[in-house]
């Protein structure tokens, strides 16, 4: 059974009936439910296609946060070989929310960065629900410096609600670490390809997402603040998050139209969690095409292109 979102109730009801019929057929071989199951499966496909063809920004936010959605480690295991995770910022400690290391992507040596949210209670606590502390961004800086030194293309996969706002993180210089990580993204002379695979939240995302090419999965979101946070600031009422989401332009379609991202990676009907293998494969193809496009540029061109990309955002509005 899937973890159903609130707007997926028609799908939930139909798939529940299918499971009941299959269970009945399994218990009594004389009962033939195949025709009814096939009819219900057709209705499920139709209902899913209709619902997902007109998702609201708030519903897309829910899909982007789905607990079964593939996370960084799922992409890393499928897209990269010889992935070697690097730990520590050589200053304070290691942050598990930021995953960083060296790998091969289709035979090409690359550096890889991303946030990992975790897939169950134990791993979510380990990875701090994907919200990095300062040492995570300093680890990212260390890997970016290494990539720059050895001429390794940098691939970043974004999935965070935002940087961790705890007192300890602030004491250790959270804002400074985010700023320096963003600065390093702008300064390196290697290609940076970024994909927002779930949530792209505020400076916690942009710190490793300032790429030459930035893509989003179809139902991912990318914003300066969460809808709940925006509602709390604007109306002092976090329950108005749905209204905030509709006005913040956080969906892939909105951000493509605004020129913030370069492309949208389609998801299976029903979201990436319903067919992780296909969406990971599509993501790999998009990354490969982007790296091929950028491969002919020298370091200065890559850096200038990256800086100009962000200076141009909003100029034609």
């Amino acid at each position: 059974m899937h973890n159903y979102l609130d707007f997926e109730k028609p799908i939930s009801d139909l798939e529940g009936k299918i499971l009941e019929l299959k269970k009945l057929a399994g218990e009594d071989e004389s009962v033939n439910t195949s025709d009814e199951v096939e009819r219900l499966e057709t209705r499920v496909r139709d209902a899913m296609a209709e619902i997902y063809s007109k998702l609201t920004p708030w519903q897309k936010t829910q899909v982007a946060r789905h607990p079964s959605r593939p996370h960084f480690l799922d992409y890393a295991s499928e897209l990269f070989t010889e992935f070697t995770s690097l730990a520590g910022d050589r200053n304070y400690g290691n942050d598990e929310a930021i995953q960083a290391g060296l790998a091969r992507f289709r035979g090409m040596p690359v550096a890889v960065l991303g946030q990992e949210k975790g897939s169950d209670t134990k791993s979510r606590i380990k990875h701090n629900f994907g919200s990095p502390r300062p040492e995570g961004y300093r680890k990212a800086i260390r890997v970016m410096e290494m990539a720059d030194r050895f001429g390794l293309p940098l691939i970043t996969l974004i999935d965070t609600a935002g940087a961790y706002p705890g007192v300890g993180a602030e004491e250790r210089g959270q804002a400074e670490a985010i700023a320096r990580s963003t600065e390093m993204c702008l300064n390196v002379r290697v290609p940076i390809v970024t994909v927002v695979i779930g949530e792209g939240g505020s400076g916690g995302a942009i710190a490793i997402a300032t790429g030459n090419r930035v893509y989003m999965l179809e139902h991912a979101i990318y914003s300066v603040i969460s809808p709940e946070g925006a509602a709390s600031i604007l109306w002092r009422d976090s329950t108005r998050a749905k209204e905030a989401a509709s006005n913040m332009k956080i969906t892939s379609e909105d951000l493509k139209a605004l020129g913030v991202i370069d492309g949208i990676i389609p998801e299976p009907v029903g979201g990436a969690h319903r067919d992780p293998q296909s969406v990971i494969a599509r993501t790999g193809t998009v990354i490969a095409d982007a790296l091929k496009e950028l491969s002919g540029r020298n370091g200065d061109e890559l850096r200038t292109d990256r800086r100009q990309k962000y200076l141009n955002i909003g100029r034609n509005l």
Side-chain angles (χ1 to χ4, degrees), residues 60-137:
K60 281 183 175 283
T61 301
Q62 292 176 278
V63 177
R65 295 171 174 172
H66 196 284
S68 300
R69 192 175 180 86
H71 298 137
F72 174 87
L73 292 177
D74 300 303
Y75 284 82
S77 64
E78 293 292 328
L79 295 181
F80 307 115
T81 57
E82 301 179 40
F83 178 68
T84 302
S85 181
L86 300 178
D89 65 349
R90 300 297 187 267
N91 183 33
Y92 178 83
N94 184 46
D95 179 65
E96 293 285 356
I98 291 272
Q99 296 294 299
L102 306 177
R104 289 188 182 275
F105 174 69
R106 302 189 177 184
M108 176 194 305
V110 296
V112 184
L113 292 171
Q115 294 101 354
E116 171 60 37
K117 285 185 170 181
S119 55
D120 54 31
T121 301
K122 184 177 180 180
S123 63
R124 286 170 190 147
I125 293 172
K126 174 184 176 182
H127 296 290
N128 201 35
F129 299 86
S131 293
R133 297 176 171 89
E135 47 271 25
Y137 294 110

Side-chain angles (χ1 to χ4, degrees), residues 171-210:
E171 289 175 342
R172 296 194 298 278
Q174 183 72 287
E176 181 264 353
I178 290 172
R180 290 195 180 277
S181 184
T182 307
E183 179 187 36
M184 183 58 65
C185 279
L186 289 169
N187 283 339
V188 297
R189 289 177 165 81
V190 295
I192 302 179
V193 178
T194 294
V195 182
V196 182
I197 59 175
E199 287 186 272
S202 190
I206 198 69
I208 62 170
T210 314

Side-chain angles (χ1 to χ4, degrees), residues 36-288:
E36 180 64 11
V37 167
E38 185 177 347
R39 185 181 69 82
L40 289 173
E41 286 177 341
T42 300
R43 288 181 61 189
V44 166
R45 289 192 294 271
D46 292 344
M48 197 176 298
E50 181 180 1
I51 289 170
Y52 274 81
S53 68
K54 52 184 180 183
L55 291 181
T56 66
W58 178 242
Q59 289 170 337
K60 281 183 175 283
T61 301
Q62 292 176 278
V63 177
R65 295 171 174 172
H66 196 284
S68 300
R69 192 175 180 86
H71 298 137
F72 174 87
L73 292 177
D74 300 303
Y75 284 82
S77 64
E78 293 292 328
L79 295 181
F80 307 115
T81 57
E82 301 179 40
F83 178 68
T84 302
S85 181
L86 300 178
D89 65 349
R90 300 297 187 267
N91 183 33
Y92 178 83
N94 184 46
D95 179 65
E96 293 285 356
I98 291 272
Q99 296 294 299
L102 306 177
R104 289 188 182 275
F105 174 69
R106 302 189 177 184
M108 176 194 305
V110 296
V112 184
L113 292 171
Q115 294 101 354
E116 171 60 37
K117 285 185 170 181
S119 55
D120 54 31
T121 301
K122 184 177 180 180
S123 63
R124 286 170 190 147
I125 293 172
K126 174 184 176 182
H127 296 290
N128 201 35
F129 299 86
S131 293
R133 297 176 171 89
E135 47 271 25
Y137 294 110
R138 293 181 178 124
K139 174 170 64 174
I141 291 168
R142 184 166 73 88
V143 173
M144 284 189 268
E145 288 176 338
M146 189 180 299
D148 196 35
R149 186 178 305 121
F150 294 107
L152 302 176
L154 183 63
I155 298 169
T156 70
L157 303 176
I158 310 304
D159 190 14
T160 181
Y164 183 61
V167 173
E170 296 297 334
E171 289 175 342
R172 296 194 298 278
Q174 183 72 287
E176 181 264 353
I178 290 172
R180 290 195 180 277
S181 184
T182 307
E183 179 187 36
M184 183 58 65
C185 279
L186 289 169
N187 283 339
V188 297
R189 289 177 165 81
V190 295
I192 302 179
V193 178
T194 294
V195 182
V196 182
I197 59 175
E199 287 186 272
S202 190
I206 198 69
I208 62 170
T210 314
N212 295 91
R213 296 292 178 269
V214 181
Y215 302 94
M216 287 177 67
L217 294 192
E218 182 180 359
H219 301 313
I221 60 169
Y222 196 16
S223 61
V224 71
I225 192 172
S226 70
E228 294 90 341
S232 295
I233 292 171
L234 293 174
W235 303 299
R236 301 189 183 280
D237 183 1
S238 62
T239 63
R240 295 177 69 177
K242 181 178 180 180
E243 183 179 349
S246 297
N247 289 284
M248 289 171 62
K249 306 297 183 185
I250 62 177
T251 68
S252 57
E253 292 86 356
D254 289 330
L255 295 168
K256 178 67 169 63
L258 291 169
V260 175
I261 65 170
D262 299 291
I264 300 171
I265 301 172
E267 294 189 30
V269 176
H273 55 281
R274 286 187 175 266
D275 189 359
Q277 299 297 322
S278 69
V279 78
I280 291 173
R282 288 175 191 167
T283 300
T285 299
V286 168
I287 293 172

